[in-house]
Amino acid sequence: MTATALKHTVSTDTWQPLCAKADLVAFSGVAAWLNTSEGPAQVAIFYLPRQRSQGQEKELYALDHFDPFSNANVIARGIIGDVKGNLVVASPLYKQHFRLEDGQCLEDEDVKLRTWKVAFRGEEVWVQG
């Protein structure tokens, strides 16, 4: 008998629960599976609790977990930082920087990670997939 992967068509406007707030690590990333209209995807969720002194607007960011430079799912393990006023995650392998806001690679303008809308709903993290 052969196993077959099922494809679930999910509208890109569909919000879905991804994990609990307790699953997140402050100022770090976690990886999770997300159902998208193109099929399952690995997503990196970054939780940056608001810091009033820094004027930060968002607490959650969701990017592709897949690093196109190393061809590995490692982005959630990257280091969060600031490069010239941009909140970024540095890939743990080759150290390219990706803006958390829009996924743009700072070292190569032709490379951009997918991003998703993400928000807290009570104690759960929801992503628009």
Side-chain angles (χ1 to χ4, degrees), residues 9-52:
T9 304
V10 178
S11 166
T12 56
D13 293 331
T14 301
W15 282 86
Q16 52 193 293
L18 198 62
C19 65
K21 186 175 184 177
D23 296 326
L24 302 177
V25 178
F27 306 104
S28 188
V30 297
W33 282 101
L34 176 68
N35 289 318
T36 72
S37 58
E38 293 113 24
Q42 289 191 38
V43 61
I45 305 291
F46 296 95
Y47 175 42
L48 283 68
R50 285 197 178 116
Q51 308 229 340
R52 292 182 187 173

Side-chain angles (χ1 to χ4, degrees), residues 31-85:
W33 282 101
L34 176 68
N35 289 318
T36 72
S37 58
E38 293 113 24
Q42 289 191 38
V43 61
I45 305 291
F46 296 95
Y47 175 42
L48 283 68
R50 285 197 178 116
Q51 308 229 340
R52 292 182 187 173
S53 63
Q54 296 175 357
Q56 181 182 325
E57 293 179 24
K58 292 176 64 175
E59 287 187 295
L60 290 173
Y61 298 87
L63 303 170
D64 257 336
H65 185 43
F66 183 77
D67 177 359
F69 294 99
S70 65
N71 291 319
N73 289 302
V74 295
I75 294 298
R77 299 178 197 274
I79 297 172
I80 301 296
D82 180 303
V83 175
K84 297 181 182 176

